[in-house]
Amino acid sequence: MLKLNNVYFSYHNDTPREIQVLRGVSLSLGKGEYISLVGNNGSGKSTLAKVISGLLKPTEGTVTWSSKENGCLKPSLRKRVGLILQNPDNQIVSGIVEEDVAFGLENLEIPPVEIKRKVEDTLRSLHLWDKKDYPTHLLSGGEKQKLAIASIVVMEPECLILDEATVLLDYRSKEQVLETIRFLKKTKGITIVQITSCIDEVIPSERVILLDKGKVCYDGHISPFLRDSEVMGLIGFDLPAYAAISQELIGMGFIKEICYTREELADKLLWEYQYRN
Amino acid sequence: MGISVQELTHIYNFGFPWEKKALDSISFSVEDGEGFAVLGGVGSGKSTLAQHINGLLFPTTGEVVVDGITVKPGVNLQELRRAVGMVFQFPETQLFGETVYEDVAFGLRNLGFPEEAVEFQVQEALHLVGFNPLAIRYRNPLFLSGGEKRKVALAGVLAMKSSILVLDEPISGLDARGKKEVLTFLKEYKKINNSIIIYITHSLEEALSICERGIILSEGKLVYHGGLKEYFIKNEDWKNLNIEPPINRGIALTLKEKGLKINDRIITRLELIKEIEECFKTIRA
Ligand SMILES: Nc1ncnc2c1ncn2[C@@H]1O[C@H](COP(=O)(O)OP(=O)(O)OP(=O)(O)O)[C@@H](O)[C@H]1O
Ligand SMILES: Nc1ncnc2c1ncn2[C@@H]1O[C@H](COP(=O)(O)OP(=O)(O)OP(=O)(O)O)[C@@H](O)[C@H]1O
Ligand SMILES: [Mg+2]
Ligand SMILES: [Mg+2]
């Protein structure tokens, strides 16, 4: 769907020196993939996200979209990539919640009735509907993050990039967001790229891309990633909580395999319990 | 001298459009040397409460006393803010120096520290949050990455060595190593300086690593005040408060729901493993 070929990017706006952030990044994103983009602070994740979404132009290298998809139509990049920025204040453009969510759709020339329906559906799915008339600058931190997510998700981009977009959300709100984007993945086959620093959030993704000092150090399936202590250590990741507990339980002879979710762990334990009984 | 909050109510835009009662008759107190959690879901009133402690907001009704200073219109803000260091939910709102160094030094200079001491404490603070002080000091804080900005904001507050820290989601946006380092450091800081840390978060696991006691807010109301572990052992209404149960209790609960006879009133991994052991023992017997 999208290919980055040997992409370099430098900022020139700060110190007299340029700051080289991306150093030869090559990767491709396929339709319907669910990817975690991880790396230490300052490793270049947000910059890469902006390059993918066309907000920044690479200093060197190319970003190309395969054009033959979707019956050869070439919608604008805005429709193709939806980037939810790390700081929602940089993204909220309207004074009122409902208007902010409608803003992107209005630019896509969608009929007003349909806009209204889509905006309502999205706000409801994120439990923000009761704030629809609220001035955006009076929202709480988490409410702003929900709004930023709503404004992008409502456009149903082909590729959705979440840049630490849920860090201020409580677990119920996080679940609402996950449900909303999983639904889009299932029904529209959208690609999801989530930038996160939390190992437990990485678990449900299928592929992990690790950036270190602007270079891709790992790009592959999640299972080998979790087993590679060197790669995990590079970004200070511990074993996910459930995996650590199950390792201890394996040591004690209660279960035989590492589990990565609560359900999985409970099921394995229960199975062993019943089997031995 | 601690913090005392008595029947604090805050109504935003009182008598105007968008009037909102964000805090509804909240009472609690915090002792010196305590890590104190303010837990609650999105929009529950946490940041509103935080801003009363350093005088950014004043009570609509009720009383807030911080280190012996009553926070009300006319309060000596400089005195109050010398006692209270605050890290905001969005670090951008507190970065205004032209360089990282100037930014972190700002508070210390305001307090009249000699330049030598400022230099030392800035270096130390930058180092603490995981920077190479020499590499970062001349950078413009507004041109940093999200996590780097958060670290500069934290350094600016830590450099002041205030006796009260109010931290609003302080580790969100930090990388995994940074999160662990800051939490470890805060625990030390609290012990060494006998400081109060008001730790605001929606994450229980985070709160547990620094705080023994705290409050839980829901839609502006105080729904719990006391020991965090006790709360999560005794109660189950966190389900309605948008707070995730402790990981280990969550596992025990799921096991119980699936039909295993297990005591789920546990918090630590050790306790969980012991309970599982007990369970399996009954088979072998
Ligand atoms: N607007 C900018 N101007 C100059 N330098 C920048 C700018 N934005 C980021 N940088 C620098 O580029 C590097 C990469 O930044 P980027 O925001 O891509 O990192 P990141 O991986 O998203 O980090 P974080 O986890 O902290 O969000 C950092 O060293 C940062 O200081
Ligand atoms: N200036 C304001 N005017 C009107 N309402 C406000 C204002 N600031 C906040 N609110 C509302 O008051 C409620 C509490 O906001 P507050 O920022 O204290 O919540 P919070 O617990 O910090 O939430 P979060 O976890 O999302 O940061 C929210 O519903 C918010 O929309
Ligand atoms: Mg970033
Ligand atoms: Mg808040």
Side-chain angles (χ1 to χ4, degrees):
Chain A
M1 182 172 86
L2 171 108
K3 256 199 170 67
L4 273 72
N5 191 16
N6 207 21
V7 165
Y8 285 79
F9 184 87
S10 305
Y11 289 105
H12 294 274
N13 50 3
D14 189 0
T15 48
R17 296 165 290 132
E18 60 168 1
I19 298 174
Q20 197 179 53
V21 176
L22 300 177
R23 306 161 200 251
V25 173
S26 297
L27 50 86
S28 60
L29 304 181
K31 189 171 154 61
E33 281 196 291
Y34 187 178
I35 301 165
S36 284
L37 175 57
V38 299
N40 290 321
N41 290 142
S43 57
K45 304 179 296 295
S46 298
T47 306
L48 178 59
K50 286 176 188 161
V51 167
I52 292 175
S53 67
L55 279 179
L56 294 175
K57 294 267 163 290
T59 323
E60 241 179 84
T62 54
V63 181
T64 44
W65 286 82
S66 54
S67 52
K68 287 253 170 63
E69 274 165 35
N70 296 332
C72 260
L73 280 176
K74 255 198 176 171
S76 70
L77 204 59
R78 195 176 164 80
K79 167 78 182 163
R80 304 197 89 175
V81 190
L83 168 60
I84 303 165
L85 296 174
Q86 195 163 8
N87 181 346
D89 280 329
N90 295 339
Q91 185 165 336
I92 296 170
V93 289
S94 311
I96 301 292
V97 169
E98 196 175 12
E99 286 171 10
D100 194 66
V101 183
F103 178 81
L105 293 176
E106 279 157 6
N107 283 354
L108 293 178
E109 292 165 24
I110 292 172
V113 192
E114 201 176 325
I115 291 184
K116 240 185 142 45
R117 185 186 53 79
K118 283 188 182 213
V119 169
E120 178 168 348
D121 286 352
T122 309
L123 283 173
R124 280 191 193 281
S125 76
L126 295 171
H127 291 241
L128 209 54
W129 180 243
D130 60 336
K131 283 264 191 290
K132 72 179 166 64
D133 299 318
Y134 225 66
T136 50
H137 72 283
L138 301 184
L139 295 175
S140 78
E143 288 163 353
K144 280 183 181 169
Q145 277 204 326
K146 284 201 204 184
L147 174 58
I149 294 168
S151 304
I152 296 294
V153 162
V154 76
M155 294 197 281
E156 298 179 358
E158 288 168 41
C159 174
L160 182 64
I161 310 179
L162 299 105
D163 191 352
E164 305 259 13
T166 60
V167 288
L168 298 178
L169 300 188
D170 58 60
Y171 93 113
R172 189 70 62 80
S173 311
K174 263 185 205 160
E175 269 173 19
Q176 287 155 9
V177 172
L178 276 180
E179 243 167 64
T180 308
I181 62 177
R182 282 201 191 119
F183 180 76
L184 281 178
K185 182 173 184 288
K186 214 170 93 184
T187 55
K188 315 264 164 167
I190 68 164
T191 306
I192 300 165
V193 180
Q194 57 169 18
I195 298 177
T196 176
S197 58
C198 173
I199 181 70
D200 289 303
E201 284 176 14
V202 174
I203 300 299
S205 54
E206 295 139 4
R207 174 175 159 200
V208 181
I209 299 173
L210 189 155
L211 266 190
D212 190 45
K213 303 193 182 83
K215 290 193 170 139
V216 175
C217 284
Y218 181 93
D219 181 355
H221 200 267
I222 173 133
S223 327
F225 172 80
L226 292 170
R227 286 188 184 84
D228 191 334
S229 53
E230 203 174 308
V231 174
M232 295 261 289
L234 204 58
I235 49 172
F237 273 8
D238 292 328
L239 219 49
Y242 299 111
I245 294 167
S246 49
Q247 232 175 21
E248 211 159 321
L249 292 169
I250 292 173
M252 300 173 76
F254 292 138
I255 53 172
K256 296 189 184 70
E257 285 160 70
I258 291 201
C259 310
Y260 290 99
T261 67
R262 180 157 88 196
E263 284 293 310
E264 211 186 326
L265 178 57
D267 285 340
K268 286 263 155 62
L269 265 169
L270 201 72
W271 191 87
E272 289 285 341
Y273 180 83
Q274 283 161 351
Y275 178 78
R276 291 171 198 202
N277 230 339
Chain B
M1 272 182 286
I3 298 174
S4 148
V5 173
Q6 289 304 320
E7 294 183 21
L8 167 63
T9 293
H10 190 89
I11 303 176
Y12 284 112
N13 313 316
F14 191 46
F16 289 96
W18 317 117
E19 177 176 317
K20 165 88 188 174
K21 192 189 269 187
L23 293 173
D24 190 354
S25 196
I26 307 285
S27 303
F28 66 91
S29 59
V30 187
E31 318 238 307
D32 287 341
E34 220 185 345
F36 194 86
V38 177
L39 282 163
V42 167
S44 58
K46 304 181 296 297
S47 298
T48 305
L49 174 60
Q51 292 172 67
H52 282 82
I53 296 171
N54 80 340
L56 273 172
L57 292 176
F58 298 123
T60 308
T61 60
E63 191 183 58
V64 177
V65 182
V66 176
D67 227 13
I69 308 165
T70 302
V71 182
K72 60 178 186 213
V75 64
N76 181 342
L77 280 178
Q78 206 178 355
E79 190 189 4
L80 182 64
R81 289 185 189 158
R82 189 169 307 168
V84 181
M86 174 144 172
V87 176
F88 291 81
Q89 192 164 12
F90 293 105
E92 280 85 352
T93 46
Q94 69 191 111
L95 301 176
F96 41 79
E98 282 191 8
T99 65
V100 167
Y101 183 86
E102 299 290 318
D103 201 275
V104 178
F106 179 81
L108 292 167
R109 286 185 177 148
N110 251 1
L111 293 185
F113 274 77
E115 206 50 34
E116 236 166 78
V118 171
E119 170 77 37
F120 179 79
Q121 271 172 245
V122 171
Q123 293 251 13
E124 188 186 45
L126 287 174
H127 186 74
L128 270 174
V129 295
F131 280 129
N132 171 354
L134 290 178
I136 199 84
R137 65 184 284 157
Y138 299 114
R139 296 283 310 272
N140 181 333
L142 296 179
F143 291 151
L144 295 175
S145 78
E148 289 165 345
K149 282 179 187 163
R150 164 79 60 194
K151 286 176 176 171
V152 174
L154 266 166
V157 168
L158 295 179
M160 309 276 294
K161 304 211 160 85
S162 321
S163 56
I164 297 172
L165 295 184
V166 180
L167 310 175
D168 199 346
E169 308 267 7
I171 62 169
S172 72
L174 297 195
D175 52 33
R177 192 169 292 116
K179 285 190 170 106
K180 276 183 274 188
E181 281 171 6
V182 168
L183 287 177
T184 310
F185 171 73
L186 288 176
K187 260 187 276 186
E188 279 295 295
Y189 183 96
K190 179 168 66 106
K191 234 193 294 173
I192 294 170
N193 303 310
N194 195 35
S195 298
I196 288 177
I197 296 182
I198 305 283
Y199 197 95
I200 297 164
T201 178
H202 53 81
S203 156
L204 173 70
E205 296 293 328
E206 241 175 75
L208 280 174
S209 69
I210 306 248
C211 311
E212 264 150 38
R213 293 196 321 134
I215 56 174
I216 303 178
L217 297 178
S218 174
E219 291 175 22
K221 294 201 169 62
L222 190 147
V223 290
Y224 181 76
H225 175 204
L228 293 182
K229 285 193 178 147
E230 286 90 307
Y231 175 80
F232 284 94
I233 288 178
K234 288 188 190 128
N235 293 280
E236 264 170 45
D237 59 355
W238 29 262
K239 286 176 188 151
N240 308 317
L241 303 176
N242 294 349
I243 294 173
E244 205 168 8
I247 289 174
N248 301 303
R249 173 124 207 258
I251 295 174
L253 275 171
T254 310
L255 283 170
K256 195 171 158 187
E257 275 162 23
K258 289 184 188 275
L260 206 66
K261 283 203 192 69
I262 187 169
N263 169 20
D264 65 288
R265 309 268 157 174
I266 50 109
I267 300 276
T268 64
R269 188 188 299 178
L270 213 68
E271 291 166 339
L272 172 68
I273 295 205
K274 226 178 88 198
E275 290 303 330
I276 292 174
E277 225 175 348
E278 288 298 317
C279 245
F280 275 74
K281 252 188 211 149
T282 58
I283 317 175
R284 286 174 191 160

